[in-house]
Amino acid sequence: MWYQFFRSGLIRPIVRTLWHPWVVGEENLPSTGGAVLACNHIEYLDPVIVAAMIPRQLTYPAKKELFQGDGGLRSKLVAWFLKAVDQVPLDRSGGRRSVEGMRPILDRLREGGMVGIFPEGTRSADGEMFRGKTGVARLALMAGVPVIPAAVVGTGLVRGAFGIPKVVRPGIIIGRPLDFEELRGREEEAAVLRWVTNEVMDAIQQLGGQDYVDVYGFRVKYGNLKGKDLTPWRRPRPGGVPAPEPHQDRDAGGLR
């Protein structure tokens, strides 16, 4: 109830009035059933615009600390809002704990919900696309759901009248679902996770037309590549390698 109230009664009217966003490829969204909606990430407004314009209820994983409300009034309000609009917590501490922390998100997918994720893990520092994290692949393979690639365009801030930043007619381009059913059960294989993630990022890049840099975005924004020449890591597309070979099952004496 609260999700529909905030989206339909408040956020969507504001988004449409201020920025007049457009959507292409809405027919590629499955009307029912679990799915991962994977998007590029250009600006702060991306999650808001996507959630406002997608017809289905969208669940974004949010770091679990936001659900605790341990601070002052602001943190309590954030925790209440996330719970009220039916979002789910994500443990981002790393390693096995993060894998186990994906359980609420997997449950949502298996219940037939749609989960929104930004595989780059952070906003682009300069409008280019960066290497995707493999969580999107792990979710798709473990839950057995398709990935819907989507590209947000035009959400970057531009200088308006009197130097005030503004957004001019942002859009969402939704691609055809990607099915990785043949790779289910192989979510512990690093090569499989990387290949699936690159396929997802490649589909997003084809929709939005961004240039691709094969390093993680946080290294460019905060790490050892901040302010550096990224030419050595530029690639025409993510991945571009053949699919992983079928698994050799020695006990069975054949392929699986």
Side-chain angles (χ1 to χ4, degrees), residues 173-226:
I173 307 170
I174 305 169
R176 294 180 178 179
L178 304 176
D179 185 1
F180 301 105
E181 179 65 27
E182 72 279 3
L183 295 172
R184 282 199 71 186
R186 300 180 64 181
E187 56 270 6
E188 298 302 324
E189 298 179 42
V192 170
L193 293 178
R194 174 47 53 196
W195 184 83
V196 170
T197 301
N198 285 344
E199 289 295 296
V200 171
M201 299 306 294
D202 181 58
I204 298 172
Q205 185 203 28
Q206 290 185 39
L207 294 171
Q210 289 174 281
D211 292 330
Y212 178 67
V213 183
D214 195 30
V215 295
Y216 291 115
F218 74 86
R219 292 181 61 191
V220 178
K221 291 178 68 175
Y222 311 112
N224 62 334
L225 292 179
K226 184 175 182 179

Side-chain angles (χ1 to χ4, degrees), residues 15-65:
V15 167
R16 283 180 166 171
T17 300
L18 290 179
W19 301 305
H20 309 289
W22 49 271
V23 180
V24 172
E26 191 173 309
E27 69 277 4
N28 291 320
L29 290 172
S31 58
T32 60
V36 176
L37 183 71
C39 304
N40 58 329
H41 201 357
I42 300 174
E43 265 301 342
Y44 288 110
L45 290 172
D46 297 346
V48 177
I49 293 174
V50 172
M53 301 308 298
I54 293 299
R56 289 184 59 179
Q57 179 168 331
L58 194 61
T59 298
Y60 288 125
K63 58 182 181 180
K64 68 174 186 178
E65 292 80 7

Side-chain angles (χ1 to χ4, degrees), residues 241-255:
V241 300
E245 291 292 329
H247 219 9
Q248 183 74 39
D249 190 337
R250 296 181 179 178
D251 294 334
L255 298 177

